[in-house]
Amino acid sequence: MKKSPKNDDVASTQLPSISWIQTVEVNAIGSCCSSLGYLGKGESQVLNLALKNSDCAAIVDDRAARRYGQALGINTIGTGSLLILAKRRGLIPSISPGIQALRDAGLWLSDTLVNLLKTSSRRIAIAINCNFK
């Protein structure tokens, strides 16, 4: 008897219900990333989609994928920076729950990076409270 895979990926189950998210099917990995053995299928697909849609940024956490995307002229942003941007825009009050959720989901974030993100986040809060832009 074949077991069905357990879908415990919270993001993949919740994303389709968010109204502002547009799902795009990527049928094939384009030529820009297909020969790179060090990028995973997901990173390759994200970079190819961003390359075809120049008004989009690629959200990638893998350092190699960010560097390769930047070499191709693709705007890239990591999830931590995305949390800071959300806080800056007033969409979330704190980045700490998001960071913890990422760690709980299995994303490895060094303590140094987490401290850097939290420090950057506090600076944004101070600047907003002082009416700096």
Side-chain angles (χ1 to χ4, degrees):
M1 185 157 98
K2 188 176 182 182
K3 284 186 172 181
S4 61
K6 180 181 174 188
N7 189 356
D8 58 358
D9 181 0
V10 176
S12 69
T13 58
Q14 291 181 355
L15 287 176
S17 66
I18 299 173
S19 63
W20 54 268
I21 291 183
Q22 179 183 3
T23 302
V24 178
E25 187 172 331
V26 180
N27 294 324
I29 298 174
S31 60
C32 85
C33 304
S34 60
S35 63
L36 299 175
Y38 56 87
L39 290 185
K41 182 179 177 182
E43 288 93 353
S44 296
Q45 289 177 330
V46 167
L47 292 178
N48 276 293
L49 184 62
L51 192 59
K52 292 176 184 174
N53 298 280
S54 60
D55 60 336
C56 294
I59 303 170
V60 287
D61 290 312
D62 182 85
R63 182 182 296 166
R66 280 197 314 270
R67 287 182 178 165
Y68 189 69
Q70 290 165 351
L72 292 171
I74 298 169
N75 291 323
T76 63
I77 186 169
T79 307
S81 296
L82 195 60
L83 287 170
I84 290 173
L85 182 61
K87 182 175 178 183
R88 180 182 298 161
R89 293 188 177 177
L91 299 172
I92 59 173
S94 170
I95 68 166
S96 293
I99 289 172
Q100 189 58 51
L102 291 170
R103 282 182 153 178
D104 291 346
L107 183 65
W108 185 83
L109 299 170
S110 70
D111 291 338
T112 302
L113 176 60
V114 169
N115 290 334
L116 178 66
L117 291 169
K118 288 181 177 182
T119 299
S120 297
S121 177
R122 282 191 293 274
R123 286 184 188 143
I124 290 167
I126 291 167
I128 290 170
N129 289 334
C130 295
N131 294 320
F132 295 124
K133 301 258 177 184

